[in-house]
Amino acid sequence: MKNTYYVDLVSGDVLDRPAFEENPSFKIEATDEELHELKSCLDESYTADMQAYIRSHIPYVEYHKDPANDLYDQSIKKIYAIIYKLGDAEARRFIEEIGILEEDKFMQDEEIQKFK
């Protein structure tokens, strides 16, 4: 059975109701299994973000040649792909408008494509 949740990408929270005072949320309909997968992806993204943050303090490593940044970018795209799959029309429209799932570099990634 699917339930309604609100995903806040800034905080990484998945809530039962929208946080009006906080950041805008994506509305999704998800089963317990889908929710678990999304939360796992949010956790992975946080870890990748922290690794990229640590790397950012090393001036001689360029952003575009850094695996930590690539991992973070990929995790964000996977989260958007899941939200696109589970989200309402407004969430899908927003994701289409920003074009995050349409970048050529990631079109070959099977992990992303399975959620589209």
Side-chain angles (χ1 to χ4, degrees), residues 3 8 10-11 19 22-23 25 28 33 35 40 45 79 89 93:
N3 294 308
D8 179 347
V10 175
S11 69
E22 300 294 324
N23 306 306
S25 300
I28 64 167
E33 183 178 304
L35 181 63
S40 293
S45 179
I79 290 167
R93 184 172 42 256

Side-chain angles (χ1 to χ4, degrees), residues 27-69:
K27 182 178 179 182
I28 64 167
E29 298 285 329
T31 63
D32 289 343
E33 183 178 304
E34 291 166 333
L35 181 63
H36 176 73
E37 182 168 11
L38 176 59
K39 286 183 176 183
S40 293
C41 289
L42 288 165
D43 289 343
E44 289 172 15
S45 179
Y46 176 80
T47 301
D49 187 29
M50 288 298 102
Q51 291 171 347
Y53 173 76
I54 291 167
R55 194 273 338 139
S56 72
H57 292 87
I58 305 170
Y60 58 86
V61 177
E62 297 173 339
Y63 172 85
H64 63 282
K65 294 182 180 178
D66 180 39
N69 284 317

